[in-house]
């Protein structure tokens, strides 16, 4: 096997060497194509697939009991019962006999029939079993087409995942102890898949395009999440060279990690808070050691996306409480549900939209589906007694949305007080500034909100009118665009004028190149992927705020992102960073 090199987009740092696990979920199609087959070959194929499925499920059940709990184990046991049910497997055999069709056709047809029956039942619990039927059906199909039916959550050996695409909900379920990294055909730098890979510390290369077809399951892979290189079946020489590179990278990271425990204070004494962005409670493990002085953004939508039904108040409460407790009194900013755009919730069954990023999403959806919003606020408020919880609302575009969201918050507070449920005395309430209309109105908002958190990931896409997911226009997607910088200044100045504070939780906050500019503009709180924290602290401790303010003044006069980058690069080089 000769070595091949494929170039992608490095989105989450780290060099990894491991075996390729090709993930290609087979789904039960809506319309089943009839492919002919000889019962003599198809019946044993089906039987073999069933046996393999049962073995796979049995070993998963053992693991699930230890790792995922009895509930998940019970679901898997239910799938074995389906395979042994007289109304499920024998009809597939009969179909192959009677219609001379392939095992795949038989599985597809019967699974669809059975799932449709469940779906038409009046009882909600029974209706939900349709998903289990489809799931076991796709396991059978996975065995038939030869790559097994293993789900991402079921990976139990060290691998690099190879997939057309991984959704954010796929990514959030990955087990870091087995998944060394992943490569995909599509995807951009600020997609939520990339953001999650970063915060989970999983190396990732996206956008390999047709290069992905060069990779087979079991191939030896090297990926470099910084440069975007992906090497398939490397020669011994290449593998050795990358091992050396891996070691020197590790040494460099070790040096930077020394800064984790330091305070982020400039040489002339301007101190800022450096916090972490997280998507799941599990990500709080080791967060304090990584230097996080709080959680600046808890993206709660991943709690909603990693399950097949809406998490109830108790489930949400447990998650928020565990984050608040893990941070031991340090600030935890919980962002209310920000669904929409590239973050979907299948069980909400929302209609397709022409422009999902401009559509029915985030706070718009929460204000419309008040029950959902109230449940989440109740859970957050109840969790507030377990730490230092703050709340922020995403995608605020105008004052009415803030007023309505705050009114519902007050209602929920009163409800809980009437019930005698304890809630923290003061909870700071803020808004995300990620839409230019909100940034421009910052002086008005500053009179009412406790804080702002600038979401540059969306602010860039709405200011420059450039889809954050579209690789074709990614050359335009740049937070160093002078218009974006002016908006950021406007927001920070507004908060300063009203004794409030401004944070930033978009990717710009974690970019060392942006640090002199953001120090110059006076950003108070910085929140980023945990892996970026030590480096940002290292850079900040070398900066002089007075010099950064002069630099920011110069940058504010510039015409293009390229000029801004050049000025920042020269500035950092000059001080030896
Ligand atoms: C942002 O838009 O910058 C942000 C932090 O939110 P998200 O990336 O989840 O949209
Ligand atoms: Mg956003």
């Amino acid at each position: 096997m000769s070595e091949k090199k494929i170039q992608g987009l490095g989105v989450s740092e780290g060099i990894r060497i491991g075996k390729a696990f090709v993930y290609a979920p087979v789904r039960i199609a809506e319309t089943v194509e009839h492919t002919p087959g000889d019962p003599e070959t198809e019946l044993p194929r089906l039987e073999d697939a069933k046996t393999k499925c049962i073995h796979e499920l049995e070993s998963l059940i053992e693991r699930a009991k230890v790792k995922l709990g009895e509930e998940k184990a019970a679901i898997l046991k239910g799938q074995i019962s389906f395979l042994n049910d007289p109304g499920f497997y024998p009809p597939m055999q009969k179909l192959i006999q009677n219609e001379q069709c392939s095992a795949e056709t038989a599985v597809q047809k019967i699974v669809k029939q059975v799932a449709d029956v469940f779906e038409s039942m009046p009882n909600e619990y029974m209706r939900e079993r349709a998903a289990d039927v489809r799931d076991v059906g796709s396991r059978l199909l996975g065995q038939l087409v030869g790559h097994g039916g293993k789900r991402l959550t079921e990976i139990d050996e060290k691998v690099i995942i190879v997939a057309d695409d991984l959704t954010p909900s796929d990514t959030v379920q990955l087990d870091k102890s087995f998944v060394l990294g992943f490569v995909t055909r599509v995807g951009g730098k600020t997609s939520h898949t990339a953001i999650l890979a970063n915060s989970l510390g999983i190396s990732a290369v996206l956008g390999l395009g047709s290069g992905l077809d060069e990779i087979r399951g079991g191939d030896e892979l090297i990926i470099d999440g910084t440069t975007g290189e992906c090497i398939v079946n490397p020669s011994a020489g290449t593998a050795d060279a990358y091992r050396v590179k891996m070691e020197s990278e590790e040494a460099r990271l070790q040096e930077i990690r020394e800064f984790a425990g330091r305070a982020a204070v400039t040489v002339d004494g301007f101190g800022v808070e450096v916090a972490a962005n997280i998507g799941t409670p599990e990500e709080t493990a080791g967060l304090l050691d990584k230097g996080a002085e709080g959680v600046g953004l808890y993206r709660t939508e991943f709690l909603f996306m990693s399950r097949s039904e809406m998490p109830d108040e108790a489930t949400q409460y447990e998650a928020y409480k565990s984050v608040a407790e893990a941070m031991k009194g340090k600030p935890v900013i919980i962002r209310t549900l920000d669904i929409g755009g590239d973050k979907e919730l299948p069980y909400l069954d929302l209609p397709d939209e022409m422009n999902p990023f401009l559509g029915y999403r985030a706070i718009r959806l929460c204000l419309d589906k008040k029950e959902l919003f109230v449940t989440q606020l109740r859970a957050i408020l109840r969790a507030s007694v377990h730490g230092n919880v703050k709340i922020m609302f995403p995608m605020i575009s105008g004052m009415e949305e803030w007023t309505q969201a705050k009114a519902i918050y007050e209602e929920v507070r009163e409800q809980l007080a009437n019930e005698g449920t304890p809630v923290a005395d003061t909870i700071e309430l803020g808004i995300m500034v990620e839409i230019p209309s909100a940034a421009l109105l910052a002086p008005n908002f500053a009179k009412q909100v406790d804080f702002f958190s600038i979401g540059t990931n969306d602010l860039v896409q709405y200011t420059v009118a450039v889809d954050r997911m579209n690789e074709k226009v990614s050359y335009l997607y740049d937070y160093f665009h002078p218009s974006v910088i002016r908006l950021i200044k406007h927001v920070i100045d507004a908060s300063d004028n009203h004794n409030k504070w401004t944070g930033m939780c978009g990717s710009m906050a974690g970019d060392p190149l942006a640090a002199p500019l953001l120090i110059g503009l006076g950003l108070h709180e910085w929140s980023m992927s945990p892996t970026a924290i030590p480096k940002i602290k290292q850079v900040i401790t070398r900066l002089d705020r007075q010099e950064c303010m002069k630099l920011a003044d110069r940058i504010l006069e510039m015409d293009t992102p390229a000029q801004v980058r050049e000025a920042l690069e020269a500035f950092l080089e000059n001080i030896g960073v």
Side-chain angles (χ1 to χ4, degrees):
M1 271 181 289
S2 63
E3 170 180 315
K4 284 174 226 136
K5 186 166 166 187
I6 320 167
Q7 187 62 45
L9 199 62
V11 300
S12 181
E13 71 178 14
I15 296 170
R16 301 285 182 271
I17 304 181
K19 288 237 172 310
F21 169 88
V22 175
Y23 174 63
V26 232
R27 302 193 202 285
I28 301 297
E30 266 309 301
T31 43
V32 181
E33 232 176 84
H34 180 100
T35 47
D38 176 358
E40 267 192 36
T41 50
E42 296 308 296
L43 285 171
R45 277 187 71 224
L46 183 67
E47 187 62 29
D48 182 48
K50 179 189 163 190
T51 312
K52 283 186 179 146
C53 259
I54 292 179
H55 284 158
E56 187 182 277
L57 282 163
E58 279 168 350
S59 78
L60 282 171
I61 289 166
E62 286 312 307
R63 268 189 54 216
K65 276 188 199 152
V66 186
K67 269 198 68 196
L68 306 164
E70 283 295 333
E71 198 188 343
K72 174 81 181 168
I75 294 173
L76 297 171
K77 276 186 202 152
Q79 295 201 356
I80 295 190
S81 320
F82 274 124
L83 287 170
N84 290 323
D85 193 293
F88 190 71
Y89 186 71
M92 293 178 189
Q93 294 171 303
K94 217 179 273 170
L95 207 69
I96 294 176
Q97 287 284 12
N98 296 348
E99 298 192 9
Q100 315 271 307
C101 65
S102 67
E104 285 87 344
T105 302
V107 172
Q108 296 256 21
K109 277 196 175 168
I110 300 301
V111 166
K112 191 168 166 5
Q113 263 174 29
V114 178
D116 285 351
V117 171
F118 275 104
E119 222 141 52
S120 64
M121 291 187 180
N123 176 310
E124 192 183 334
Y125 175 81
M126 295 309 278
R127 276 203 306 277
E128 281 164 4
R129 301 290 66 76
D132 292 333
V133 173
R134 288 201 191 90
D135 200 36
V136 76
S138 80
R139 277 182 202 277
L140 265 178
L141 281 179
Q143 294 295 352
L144 284 168
V145 298
H147 57 62
K150 227 180 208 170
R151 305 292 185 271
L152 291 173
T153 45
E154 298 163 3
I155 292 174
D156 53 4
E157 53 187 337
K158 289 201 185 294
V159 291
I160 294 173
I161 296 173
V162 179
D164 273 346
D165 191 12
L166 288 181
T167 62
S169 48
D170 289 331
T171 314
V172 77
Q173 295 177 54
L174 298 178
D175 183 341
K176 238 185 92 173
S177 49
F178 294 119
V179 178
L180 299 170
F182 63 82
V183 296
T184 65
R185 193 184 298 275
V186 297
K189 256 201 154 73
T190 53
S191 63
H192 281 93
T193 300
I195 289 171
L196 277 170
N198 250 301
S199 61
L200 295 170
I202 295 177
S203 165
V205 176
L206 309 187
L208 284 181
S210 58
L212 198 91
D213 301 324
E214 306 279 341
I215 311 172
R216 301 274 165 270
D219 277 351
E220 184 80 8
L221 288 187
I222 299 178
I223 62 171
D224 184 336
T226 308
T227 61
E229 288 161 319
C230 172
I231 293 140
V232 191
N233 295 320
S235 67
T238 307
D240 284 345
Y242 269 89
R243 276 194 197 98
V244 172
K245 207 172 155 192
M246 217 159 118
E247 275 165 27
S248 75
E249 169 123 334
E250 193 39 49
R252 184 182 66 82
L253 289 175
Q254 193 52 41
E255 199 182 303
I256 294 170
R257 276 187 212 120
E258 307 278 313
F259 285 83
R262 308 254 189 107
V265 183
T266 64
V267 289
D268 52 345
F270 179 73
V272 300
E273 191 181 311
V274 181
N277 292 348
I278 61 164
T280 61
E282 291 72 39
E283 288 166 58
T284 55
L287 213 51
L288 296 171
D289 295 336
K290 286 177 194 147
E293 295 157 8
V295 167
L297 166 65
Y298 173 11
R299 290 183 165 98
T300 58
E301 47 278 8
F302 296 118
L303 177 68
F304 289 67
M305 289 162 68
S306 58
R307 53 193 64 231
S308 53
E309 58 195 11
M310 191 75 77
D312 60 12
E313 184 182 319
T315 310
Q316 292 189 51
Y317 165 72
E318 287 303 329
Y320 307 151
K321 175 182 160 206
S322 83
V323 173
E325 282 181 344
M327 294 312 290
K328 302 191 168 30
K330 294 200 157 49
V332 171
I333 305 182
I334 303 184
R335 177 174 77 181
T336 59
L337 188 63
D338 181 16
I339 217 66
D342 63 335
K343 294 177 285 195
E344 293 175 17
L345 276 193
Y347 51 83
L348 266 190
D349 203 19
L350 300 173
D352 285 346
E353 294 182 301
M354 292 280 281
N355 292 302
F357 276 101
L358 301 182
Y360 184 60
R361 57 171 296 200
I363 196 69
R364 304 168 183 186
L365 185 143
C366 285
L367 292 174
D368 185 43
K369 294 189 182 291
K370 189 172 163 189
E371 203 183 316
L372 181 159
F373 195 37
V374 165
T375 305
Q376 182 171 39
L377 287 171
R378 281 181 62 92
I380 300 175
L381 287 177
R382 284 176 52 205
S384 67
V385 293
H386 299 287
N388 179 3
V389 169
K390 305 174 199 288
I391 299 176
M392 77 178 162
F393 304 118
M395 292 289 297
I396 294 286
S397 68
M399 195 61 84
E400 305 88 336
E401 285 164 340
W402 153 254
T403 312
Q404 283 175 45
K406 180 151 193 258
I408 297 174
Y409 162 85
E410 299 292 358
E411 251 175 60
V412 171
R413 246 197 118 91
E414 202 177 310
Q415 216 179 59
L416 289 166
N418 292 339
E419 288 169 18
T421 308
V423 170
D425 290 339
T426 47
I427 297 178
E428 286 188 35
L429 287 190
I431 61 166
M432 284 207 62
V433 180
E434 48 188 343
I435 303 182
S437 57
L440 291 168
L441 267 192
N444 305 48
F445 278 115
K447 293 179 199 150
Q448 301 194 25
V449 302
D450 294 313
F451 66 91
F452 293 121
S453 184
I454 302 176
T456 50
N457 304 344
D458 278 315
L459 187 62
V460 173
Q461 81 164 344
Y462 298 130
T463 306
V464 191
V466 53
D467 183 345
R468 70 194 259 190
M469 308 289 289
N470 187 337
E471 292 141 48
K472 262 263 190 290
V473 289
S474 62
Y475 70 98
L476 282 174
Y477 185 96
D478 197 337
Y479 37 68
F480 291 122
H481 194 293
S483 304
V484 175
I485 297 170
R486 284 177 189 217
L487 290 174
I488 295 171
K489 176 178 165 52
H490 189 64
V491 177
I492 299 174
D493 288 352
S495 64
D496 281 344
N497 290 338
H498 290 86
N499 287 324
K500 304 291 171 62
W501 56 272
T502 295
M504 178 180 284
C505 56
S507 303
M508 185 181 196
D511 182 351
L513 190 59
L517 171 63
L518 298 177
I519 285 288
L521 294 174
L523 183 72
H524 310 106
E525 183 245 23
W526 306 40
S527 193
M528 61 200 67
S529 130
T531 47
I533 292 176
K535 178 75 195 169
I536 289 294
K537 286 191 170 181
Q538 183 194 36
V539 176
I540 290 176
T541 51
R542 299 215 183 141
L543 297 175
D544 180 313
R545 160 99 157 127
Q546 295 306 317
E547 292 304 319
C548 291
M549 285 168 79
K550 285 184 218 154
L551 170 72
D553 284 344
R554 270 203 295 128
I555 286 179
L556 283 161
E557 297 300 316
M558 290 180 180
D559 299 324
T560 66
Q563 289 168 352
V564 177
R565 280 178 182 278
E566 205 179 304
L568 286 165
E569 272 157 9
F571 183 89
L572 284 179
E573 202 181 306
N574 209 18
I575 57 168
V577 178

